[in-house]
Amino acid sequence: MIRILLQLLWLAVFRQNPPPPRPYVRLRWLRQRMKQWGRILIRMIPGSLRQKLSRTHFRKQLEAAAGHDLRWSRPVGLAAYLLAFGILIIAIITPFSLLSQLVFMALLWIIALSIRRIPGNLATMILIVLSVIASSRYLWWRINYTLNWDDLIDLTLGLGLLAAELFAWLVLILGYFQTARPLQRQPVALPADPAQWPTVDVFIPTYNEPLEVVKPTVYAALGMDWPREKLNVYLLDDGRRPEFRQFAQEAGVAYMIRPDNHHAKAGNLNHALARTGGEFVAIFDCDHIPTRSFLQVNMGWFLRDPKLALMQTPHHFFSPDPFERNLDNFRTVPNENELFYGLVQDGNDLWNATFFCGSCAVLRRKPLEEIGGIAVETVTEDAHTALRMHRLGYNSAYLKIPQAAGLATESFSAHIGQRIRWARGMAQIFRIDNPLLGKGLSIWQRLCYGNAMLHFLSGIPRLVFLSAPLAFLLLHAYIIYAPAALILLYVAPHLIHASIANSRIQGKYRFSFWAEIYETALAWYIARPTTAALIAPHKGSFNVTAKGGLIPEEHFDWSISRPFLILVALNLLGIVVGLGRLVGGPDHEAGTVLLNLGWASYNLLILGAALGVAQEARQVRHTHRVDFLMPAALRLPNGQHLQAEVQNFSLGGMNLYCKEDCALEAGTSVQLSLRPGLRSYAFPATVVHLEGNLLGLQFRELTSQQEADLVKCTFGRADIWMGWAAGRPHDRPLRSLKEVLAKGLVGYQRLLHCTLPAHAQPLLGQAHGLLKYFSSYLPRRPAAPAYRTTSMETP
């Protein structure tokens, strides 16, 4: 005993080094100390008593008394969950005084700030619990204490805001459930003998897209690493164009048409499905270019799991969408799609609820035929198809490895048109084949599908938030019937903790406050079709998203921005009236007026960012450039060879950095050599510009085989998209808030540029210079780096 006490003293005094300053290192140090102390304390207990106190011995004694096995983990775990839930409910519904609520808010905030940088799932779950407590407590307070039942206008408008807040709370809770623990599935190796690999039919549907958009996808599909006798590529042309038939014959792929365009893309795929016989079907939109490793990365899971019906991969885009192009944040801020394909789908995979997204996916033919082919009842045939396969008990999977890339929507109007179709289709599924009802789905799958549909019903709640402060500023309606200080003490923890938790979970895929811009820009346009689809679900037609278009001149889209301008005018009017009330109104209303003025001002800046998206930037490139570093070689007309490095590429040309001095002139013909694997490929090119050792090359008169080889060397590389987001920092909420507000000011500057007469433009230039001066104090995000590869790509 004395020896053990001396050991404890020695451990506590002589081996207790001060913990490092970083929180997660301090936590690890504490765990190690506790383990050491625990081992020594256990040794102090006599052996016979230790055995009687052990869990195994105690369980065996009770099992002998009961006469059967006892499963202790389940009831004990259930009791622990019930206890935790009870404590959570108490923390939510207990009424506090003003001072007590302030102390409670400060305590939650201190805990969140203390653990938000500690890695691991435990810290994430604690942040989620804190957010749920703060948000649920706010709503409990709103429901019980903030509705004015004595005034009809106050009550009506207050219930409208409360309904929008309840919707946002439900989406927040379901979002935590969906994304807190992404599965992060890894590929499974195929059998060593390719003879055991299954046959795959590749479907590339097209309707009105240009041939230059479709060609790279066909070439890349032919170049996928798969036994040639087990790979069949089909070009499904609903446009029935002679030049597509000729191209298919030259490329060596099957060309398929049908007599009508019934059911649009779904009908096109079903027509091909009935006339082919491969064990699996890979589907690519005609602008989505697969890498050579696509099938080898994805097919292993099908051989491991015979019940697997769907393998979905991300929709990666190498061109900027309208938000990225018009707000000038391409690759420095995650785009609108990255949250879904980077986190939500990975979270769905944990619950066996991966959605089919219409492209970049592989489906097993047998379950697809069991459900009657691709669903045709809604305009989002992909998600509905996955839902039907899940109802039959089939599994789905998601690999968060970009293995194909395509073109983003070219204009803001085209982007809105695409989102309208998605929103209408999800509302149609909600009415026609509601995932919350019917047989075959687990409760977790129902929640994942339900949250996806709720996302597209967010138009009306967003419009409510954008107009809510006007209820008090213009109508003098108390939609939150409480003092301003008390409102802040309840709403601030709700907003702060939701921001901290979401930044922790989503920080790599969605920066804080950027969702405000995305949802504001789409709110008006998805509110109408979703409401109509809920009332009449069979109305609405499939619209094809335009790809490969050009924007020859910069312009402001007045038509698409009309709803934003109306909301801007209303919020400006509210601010003017509110300022008048602040000066001449009663003193006891000053806090409420200031609160609503701040809310309306925030809405104005978010609407300004949406107006900035409506200012279409010029886009005249027929082929988009991709930043990527890879080795290359140049053969000059005199036979000299130069080592070079590709800086960026497109299917029309490349920029290179020569490692040696080169005396070239514009117009010089050269031979470019690329080596993506063991074989080298040569392409004729012309120097179009020269700046020091930087060369700009334009390809000239490539043959069909050279075009296919160029796709294999560039877009078809297995490693081409692996480092796309490398070097991009994690989200920092305050910095993101400053950037979003700055984008709002830029939006108004662009609006004034389009409306002011020519003689007033110098004043606008001065205002723009002032804006740049203040923006210079914002922390700058580093530009997205080009990522480097070796001479040999990843197999």
Side-chain angles (χ1 to χ4, degrees):
M1 180 65 70
I2 295 175
R3 181 175 59 86
I4 293 175
L5 290 176
L6 290 175
Q7 283 183 343
L8 276 175
L9 180 64
W10 177 79
L11 178 64
V13 176
F14 297 102
R15 293 188 58 186
Q16 184 174 346
N17 298 321
R22 289 183 294 178
Y24 63 91
V25 177
R26 188 159 52 241
L27 182 63
R28 185 175 58 191
W29 175 89
L30 182 60
R31 286 175 178 170
Q32 292 173 352
R33 299 287 85 75
M34 291 179 66
K35 285 181 180 179
Q36 290 176 339
W37 296 337
R39 292 192 195 102
I40 294 176
L41 289 173
I42 288 174
R43 289 171 57 189
M44 297 174 64
I45 303 173
S48 58
L49 181 59
R50 253 200 328 259
Q51 182 181 4
K52 292 181 179 180
L53 291 178
S54 69
R55 180 179 176 184
T56 304
H57 178 80
F58 187 51
R59 178 174 171 178
K60 286 180 179 179
Q61 294 290 328
L62 288 178
E63 284 177 352
H68 56 80
D69 289 345
L70 294 177
R71 303 301 179 187
W72 283 100
S73 58
R74 183 169 297 178
V76 171
L78 180 60
Y81 282 127
L82 290 176
L83 178 62
F85 184 73
I87 296 173
L88 183 67
I89 294 299
I90 292 172
I92 291 171
I93 68 175
T94 301
F96 285 159
S97 65
L98 195 66
L99 179 60
S100 300
Q101 175 64 19
L102 177 61
V103 173
F104 185 71
M105 177 189 72
L107 179 62
L108 294 186
W109 195 24
I110 291 171
I111 295 174
L113 293 179
S114 300
I115 68 171
R116 66 191 181 100
R117 297 192 184 278
I118 297 177
N121 291 320
L122 178 60
T124 302
M125 296 306 298
I126 293 175
L127 290 176
I128 290 175
V129 170
L130 295 178
S131 174
V132 170
I133 291 174
S135 298
S136 301
R137 184 171 175 80
Y138 167 71
L139 280 178
W140 179 262
W141 174 75
R142 285 278 288 116
I143 293 170
N144 288 279
Y145 303 104
T146 65
L147 294 175
N148 185 7
W149 296 91
D150 298 325
D151 188 288
L152 182 60
I153 295 179
D154 288 5
L155 180 61
T156 303
L157 297 178
L159 286 173
L161 176 60
L162 180 59
E165 290 177 314
L166 286 169
F167 176 90
W169 175 85
L170 180 59
V171 171
L172 177 71
I173 299 301
L174 290 177
Y176 288 151
F177 157 77
Q178 204 170 13
T179 61
R181 290 291 298 272
L183 184 59
Q184 299 180 350
R185 185 188 298 266
Q186 298 300 314
V188 169
L190 287 162
D193 183 8
Q196 300 179 30
W197 298 2
T199 56
V200 180
D201 294 333
V202 179
F203 292 169
I204 304 174
T206 177
Y207 173 56
N208 60 359
E209 297 84 359
L211 182 58
E212 296 305 316
V213 170
V214 180
K215 277 184 175 182
T217 303
V218 174
Y219 288 141
L222 288 170
M224 288 191 291
D225 293 332
W226 203 253
R228 194 68 188 91
E229 67 278 5
K230 294 177 177 288
L231 181 67
N232 306 298
V233 180
Y234 296 88
L235 182 59
L236 315 180
D237 183 20
D238 256 4
R240 293 177 284 280
R241 292 158 288 184
E243 63 272 22
F244 276 67
R245 179 186 296 272
Q246 181 180 354
F247 164 70
Q249 292 175 351
E250 294 174 355
V253 301
Y255 179 77
M256 195 174 292
I257 61 173
R258 55 185 179 137
D260 56 42
N261 292 355
H262 196 45
H263 294 310
K265 178 183 175 181
N268 195 3
L269 294 172
N270 286 335
H271 178 267
L273 193 67
R275 288 158 179 79
T276 54
E279 301 170 67
F280 295 88
V281 175
I283 300 175
F284 298 98
D285 283 347
C286 65
D287 64 299
H288 286 172
I289 308 172
T291 64
R292 58 182 295 181
S293 58
F294 181 89
L295 291 177
Q296 289 196 11
V297 167
N298 289 291
M299 293 303 297
W301 275 104
F302 285 103
L303 301 184
R304 170 179 287 190
D305 181 6
K307 292 287 289 183
L308 184 63
L310 164 68
M311 173 62 77
Q312 180 67 56
T313 65
H315 287 194
H316 181 77
F317 299 100
F318 59 86
S319 66
D321 66 25
F323 291 94
E324 294 175 301
R325 186 179 64 252
N326 298 337
L327 295 181
D328 192 25
N329 59 357
F330 181 48
R331 292 188 64 194
T332 60
V333 174
N335 63 37
E336 188 190 10
N337 285 294
E338 284 194 47
L339 177 64
F340 180 74
Y341 289 109
L343 184 62
V344 173
Q345 279 281 61
D346 208 7
N348 288 341
D349 196 18
L350 179 69
W351 308 110
N352 191 26
T354 299
F355 304 153
F356 173 39
C357 300
S359 180
C360 309
V362 183
L363 298 95
R364 194 186 297 268
R365 179 181 291 270
K366 181 178 178 293
L368 194 56
E369 291 178 342
E370 284 185 32
I371 63 170
I374 304 294
V376 298
E377 291 80 7
T378 68
V379 295
T380 47
E381 73 290 335
D382 40 19
H384 198 186
T385 299
L387 175 61
R388 287 184 167 180
M389 291 191 293
H390 282 137
R391 285 196 186 276
L392 292 184
Y394 285 102
N395 298 329
S396 61
Y398 181 73
L399 276 178
K400 196 180 65 176
I401 303 174
Q403 288 291 293
L407 296 171
T409 48
E410 300 291 349
S411 66
F412 189 31
S413 58
H415 187 88
I416 287 177
Q418 183 188 66
R419 290 333 191 245
I420 287 175
R421 175 171 66 84
W422 293 357
R424 178 187 290 117
M426 297 304 281
Q428 288 174 329
I429 296 175
F430 189 79
R431 276 295 314 277
I432 295 172
D433 192 8
N434 194 324
L436 302 179
L437 307 174
K439 299 180 180 180
L441 299 180
S442 69
I443 181 63
W444 318 118
Q445 290 174 320
R446 297 179 195 275
L447 292 176
C448 289
Y449 275 103
N451 191 36
M453 293 169 188
L454 285 177
H455 169 75
F456 288 103
L457 298 177
S458 64
I460 292 177
R462 175 58 57 181
L463 293 175
V464 170
F465 294 137
L466 290 172
S467 57
L470 304 179
F472 178 80
L473 296 175
L474 297 181
L475 304 178
H476 203 250
Y478 282 85
I479 54 176
I480 303 180
Y481 195 62
L486 195 58
I487 295 174
L488 279 177
L489 284 178
Y490 275 93
V491 75
H494 161 54
L495 298 177
I496 290 173
H497 285 282
S499 177
I500 292 175
N502 278 314
S503 177
R504 164 80 177 214
I505 298 170
Q506 305 174 4
K508 290 173 59 179
Y509 314 103
R510 172 69 57 83
F511 287 169
S512 300
F513 302 101
W514 280 90
E516 304 277 325
I517 299 177
Y518 301 144
E519 293 180 10
T520 298
L522 299 173
W524 173 258
Y525 292 100
I526 67 173
R528 294 180 296 171
T530 51
T531 304
L534 290 174
I535 298 171
H538 295 285
K539 291 186 177 180
S541 58
F542 187 94
N543 61 296
V544 178
T545 305
K547 297 291 183 69
L550 303 178
I551 302 176
E553 296 295 336
E554 180 178 326
H555 66 278
F556 190 84
D557 194 333
W558 291 101
S559 176
I560 211 75
S561 61
R562 190 177 297 119
F564 314 142
L565 294 172
I566 294 173
L567 287 169
V568 166
L570 289 174
N571 277 275
L572 279 175
L573 178 61
I575 288 177
V576 171
V577 174
L579 290 174
R581 185 173 296 163
L582 189 63
V583 174
D587 293 339
H588 69 272
E589 286 188 345
T592 305
V593 173
L594 287 172
L595 186 64
N596 284 277
L597 284 175
W599 190 352
S601 300
Y602 176 78
N603 286 344
L604 273 178
L605 290 173
I606 297 299
L607 288 165
L611 289 172
V613 185
Q615 175 76 17
E616 295 283 6
R618 187 167 176 259
Q619 204 292 105
V620 295
R621 282 194 178 277
H622 290 276
T623 55
H624 292 271
R625 289 195 177 272
V626 176
D627 292 332
F628 189 77
L629 303 179
M630 58 181 172
L634 283 178
R635 185 175 182 273
L636 307 185
N638 61 5
Q640 181 184 0
H641 290 265
L642 297 178
Q643 295 297 317
E645 184 177 56
V646 175
Q647 304 296 300
N648 56 62
F649 68 85
S650 72
L651 295 178
M654 287 186 176
N655 281 333
L656 297 93
Y657 175 80
C658 286
K659 300 180 179 179
E660 310 170 39
D661 292 335
C662 52
L664 295 176
E665 298 179 354
T668 303
S669 296
V670 296
Q671 198 85 0
L672 173 69
S673 295
L674 298 174
R675 189 181 180 186
L678 298 176
R679 179 182 172 187
S680 180
Y681 299 88
F683 308 96
T686 302
V687 178
V688 292
H689 67 82
L690 178 64
E691 184 178 346
N693 284 14
L694 291 175
L695 295 179
L697 302 183
Q698 182 178 4
F699 298 118
R700 50 185 175 84
E701 298 179 358
L702 299 181
T703 65
S704 298
Q705 184 58 50
Q706 287 174 330
E707 289 179 349
D709 293 339
L710 181 60
V711 171
K712 181 184 298 185
C713 294
T714 53
F715 290 97
R717 292 181 62 103
D719 60 347
I720 183 65
W721 311 118
M722 300 301 291
W724 184 260
R728 188 165 62 196
H730 197 277
D731 174 44
R732 292 174 58 186
L734 288 180
R735 179 171 64 179
S736 294
L737 176 61
K738 293 176 183 178
E739 290 180 346
V740 166
L741 298 182
K743 296 296 182 184
L745 295 176
V746 170
Y748 288 114
Q749 184 261 333
R750 293 178 178 178
L751 177 64
L752 292 175
H753 179 76
C754 296
T755 54
L756 289 180
H759 65 271
Q761 293 297 327
L763 293 176
L764 184 61
Q766 295 177 6
H768 180 62
L770 188 63
L771 176 62
K772 290 183 66 176
Y773 172 76
F774 285 111
S775 298
S776 65
Y777 288 95
L778 295 177
R780 306 295 296 177
R781 293 192 186 276
Y787 45 100
R788 186 179 304 274
T789 184
T790 58
S791 59
M792 299 292 290
E793 66 176 308
T794 304

